[in-house]
């Protein structure tokens, strides 16, 4: 019998074996595995029965998810999987033009919107929508065009839960859009084989258990959410979704929800440390902490170890193009730091993945030499949606194997551990000198004792940077002292001309420091 790679399969299996176990909790509501399977199967049935789905000749099937993190979002994406379609998260905070661009790029078969998402469905957007829209709005919605069938989730009848549609390993599980340097978003296409491999592999590597209660802090458009949902559901555990409005109360949330597994970007921990929320022993209930998605500062780890003394900490590294995370470093003693950077090593490839450091010609470099990190293995994306040339250039075949060129500067040390220094595109020329902005960040963290910082090359004159401006994520700073401390550590051309205290650091949709927004702040200020 053919193997079913449907991403919803684990949820289906737990709905048969442990139907009363909690699958997801959000804003005081929860669904058991039995309930979430019933809701997803009913929604999937609604998709399949719709006029447009039945007469659709073209494949593949893709369902856009217009929802903020919460129970409806989980049900919606599971329903898309159940019906044999790929799910495509569409952010709620995008300007309408960008949403229209996404809709035109991804040729959706349907859209499922939660209540927040449905509010965005203006007549203009509905005109651009695929032929089926299923929504959770309490107020009726209708499209001007009869060709668009608009159904309310509440109107869908219960159905007998059957196994999610058989999906082959090569069929698409999800498409996540990341920002493209050209300004056009890039849709990263991840196969069901890659996604299922990731969920099973990482649940085993972390030693997750059905009794775990795991944290969700991400929106669907950030692929860390794939880790959070599907590693938790792989083992039949419960996912606790932190509402976007209570992020700074994450420690309290973890305590009241009795969380055992923490998943977040390090910036969240850094912000909690800054507001003194990380008291010694305050997260004693945690047994596993997953940090991933950006550099993990040493100071964050030290504070975390005291707040969560019973937790193993794992630093996970990976680009969306390699299905969430593909390298891992378990944090032991002494801390596996990246020399001179104050951040933690990214470790070694996870089962099924391979990594090497290459030069501009794709030739592997010796240990200790910095180059671009290349990744291979079962988790590699199929490529970028509708962008064959870009796919071919970022996923070259080297010596008969397909690799993804990550755009990260890295080295491998003599013990075989990889270290990530930051993005190649954060490598700037300041007055002719090559500077890595992450390196300045690292020193600034040390002298300011603030984890959330961001450096930018500014002003740019004819594309060349004249200097550096650094932002520190606190309300006030002693700029003169910090600059003199930095002068003691950095060559003159790397010392910022200006330091700015910014109580609310702009973060991108993944919760990482948004350097573009920092640039905009400076441009507006100068204008
Ligand atoms: P995204 O595709 O949005 O998940 O971003 C992937 C990028 O985030 C990588 O290419 C790295 O630059 C960065 N990144 C992810 N995880 C880590 C990590 N553990 N340490 C350092 N950088 C990371």
């Amino acid at each position: 019998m053919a193997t079913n790679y449907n991403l919803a399969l684990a949820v289906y299996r737990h709905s048969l074996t442990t139907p009363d176990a909690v699958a997801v909790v959000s804003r005081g509501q929860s669904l058991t595995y039995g309930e979430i399977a019933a809701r997803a199967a009913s929604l999937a049935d609604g998709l399949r029965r719709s006029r447009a789905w039945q007469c659709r000749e073209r494949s593949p099937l893709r369902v856009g998810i217009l929802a903020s993190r919460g129970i409806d979002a989980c049900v919606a994406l599971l329903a898309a999987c159940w019906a044999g379609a790929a799910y495509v998260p569409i952010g709620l905070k995008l300007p309408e033009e960008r949403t229209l661009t996404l809709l035109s790029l991804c040729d959706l078969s349907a859209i499922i919107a939660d209540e927040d998402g449905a509010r965005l469905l203006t007549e203009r957007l509905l005109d651009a929508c695929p032929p089926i829209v299923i929504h959770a709005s309490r107020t009726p919605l209708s499209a001007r065009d009869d060709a668009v069938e608009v159904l309310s989730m509440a109107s869908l009848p219960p159905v007998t839960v059957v196994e999610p549609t058989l999906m082959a390993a090569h069929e698409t599980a999800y498409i996540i859009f990341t920002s493209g340097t050209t300004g056009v978003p890039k849709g990263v296409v991840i196969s069901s084989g890659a996604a299922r491999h990731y969920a099973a592999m990482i649940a085993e590597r972390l030693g997750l258990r059905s009794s775990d209660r795991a944290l969700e802090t991400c929106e669907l458009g950030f692929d860390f959410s794939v880790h959070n949902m599907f590693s938790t559901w792989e083992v039949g555990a419960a996912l606790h979704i932190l509402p976007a409005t209570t992020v700074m109360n994450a420690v309290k949330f973890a305590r009241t929800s009795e969380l055992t597994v923490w998943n977040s970007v390090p910036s969240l921990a850094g912000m909690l440390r800054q507001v003194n929320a990380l008291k010694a022993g305050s997260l004693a209930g945690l047994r596993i902490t997953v940090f991933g998605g950006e550099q993990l500062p040493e100071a964050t780890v030290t504070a975390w170890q005291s707040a969560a003394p019973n937790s193993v900490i794992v630093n996970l590294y990976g680009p969306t193009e390699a299905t969430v995370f593909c390298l891992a470093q378990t944090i032991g003693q002494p801390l596996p730091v990246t020399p001179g950077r104050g951040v933690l090593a990214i470790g070694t490839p996870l089962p099924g993945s391979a990594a090497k450091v290459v030069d501009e010609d794709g030739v592997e470099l010796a240990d200790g030499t910095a180059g671009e990190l290349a990744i291979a293995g079962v988790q590699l994306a199929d490529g970028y949606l509708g962008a064959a040339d870009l796919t071919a250039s970022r996923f070259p075949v080297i010596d008969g194997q397909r690799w993804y060129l990550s755009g990260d500067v890295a080295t491998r040390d003599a013990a075989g551990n990889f270290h990530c220094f930051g993005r190649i595109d954060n490598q700037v020329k300041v007055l002719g000198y090559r500077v890595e902005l992450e390196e300045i960040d690292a020193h600034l963290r040390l002298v300011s004792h603030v984890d959330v910082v961001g450096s930018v090359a500014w002003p740019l004159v004819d594309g060349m940077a004249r200097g550096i401006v650094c932002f520190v994520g606190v309300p006030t700073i002693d700029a003169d002292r910090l600059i003199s401390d930095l002068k003691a550590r950095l060559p003159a051309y790397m010392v910022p001309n200006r330091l700015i205290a910014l109580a609310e650091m702009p973060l991108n949709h993944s919760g990482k420091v948004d350097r573009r927004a920092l640039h905009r702040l400076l441009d507006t200020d100068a204008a």
Side-chain angles (χ1 to χ4, degrees), residues 30 45 53-54 63 106 135 169 171 177-178 196 207 236 252 263 311 357 361 413 425 459 462 464 480 482:
S30 66
D45 189 63
W53 200 278
Q54 284 179 10
V63 176
C106 48
H135 66 89
E171 288 184 89
F177 281 88
T178 67
R196 284 284 306 137
K252 191 169 163 220
N263 303 303
S311 174
V357 178
D361 299 318
D413 63 23
D425 42 22
D462 299 331
M464 296 288 290
D480 291 343
L482 291 179

Side-chain angles (χ1 to χ4, degrees), residues 55-299:
C55 62
R56 195 177 160 91
E57 284 147 21
R58 286 170 302 165
S59 57
L61 296 162
R62 296 182 188 136
V63 176
I65 312 290
L66 195 58
S68 51
R69 62 183 189 247
I71 285 185
D72 282 344
C74 294
V75 171
L77 71 86
L78 284 171
C81 300
W82 224 282
Y87 78 85
V88 187
I90 301 173
L92 296 189
K93 293 199 180 135
L94 306 178
E96 194 166 81
E97 283 311 319
R98 183 131 171 138
T99 309
L100 287 167
T101 309
L102 284 192
L103 292 181
S104 70
L105 285 174
C106 48
D107 183 26
L108 298 175
S109 322
I111 281 189
I112 308 177
D114 71 355
E115 212 175 337
D116 292 338
R119 252 178 249 129
L120 301 181
L121 290 172
T122 56
E123 286 193 334
R124 185 157 174 244
L125 262 187
L126 274 170
D127 284 346
C129 272
I132 323 156
V133 175
I134 304 185
H135 66 89
S137 173
R138 274 174 248 185
T139 47
L141 259 183
S142 59
R144 285 188 284 206
D145 184 347
D146 278 352
V148 181
E149 198 175 350
V150 183
L151 302 172
S152 145
M153 251 185 233
S155 70
L156 300 171
V159 296
T160 310
V161 177
V162 290
E163 181 169 329
T165 304
L166 181 71
M167 285 184 88
H170 71 269
E171 288 184 89
T172 306
Y174 63 84
I175 300 174
I176 283 189
F177 281 88
T178 67
S179 68
T181 42
T182 55
V184 180
K186 299 182 289 189
V188 182
V189 180
I190 300 293
S191 70
S192 300
R196 284 284 306 137
H197 165 84
Y198 180 76
M201 177 278 299
I202 202 70
E204 189 181 335
R205 168 70 159 75
L206 294 172
L208 299 179
R209 304 175 188 150
S210 59
S211 54
D212 276 321
R213 289 172 294 279
L215 177 65
E216 170 67 280
T217 54
C218 305
E219 298 297 338
L220 301 187
F222 181 19
D223 73 342
F224 203 154
S225 67
V226 173
H227 168 91
N228 299 339
M229 290 183 285
F230 291 101
S231 69
T232 304
W233 294 336
E234 183 69 20
V235 296
L239 185 72
H240 289 251
I241 303 176
L242 178 71
T245 46
T246 53
V247 170
M248 293 316 279
N249 288 330
V251 172
K252 191 169 163 220
F253 179 86
R255 291 166 67 91
T256 48
S257 310
E258 299 182 359
L259 294 188
T260 56
V261 179
W262 179 281
N263 303 303
S264 84
V265 287
S267 284
L268 176 56
M271 290 190 293
L272 295 172
R273 184 166 93 92
Q274 234 57 67
V275 295
N276 283 326
L278 293 186
K279 302 265 186 304
S282 55
L283 291 167
L286 293 181
R287 61 180 206 91
I288 298 171
T289 298
V290 168
F291 287 130
E294 61 180 354
Q295 289 188 328
L296 175 56
E298 200 178 343

Side-chain angles (χ1 to χ4, degrees), residues 428-448:
V428 291
K429 284 274 177 97
V430 182
L431 303 170
Y433 294 98
R434 187 164 137 180
V435 171
E436 281 174 29
L437 295 172
E438 280 93 345
E439 191 178 354
I440 304 177
D441 292 351
H443 288 275
L444 183 54
R445 277 193 202 105
L446 285 177
V447 298
S448 66

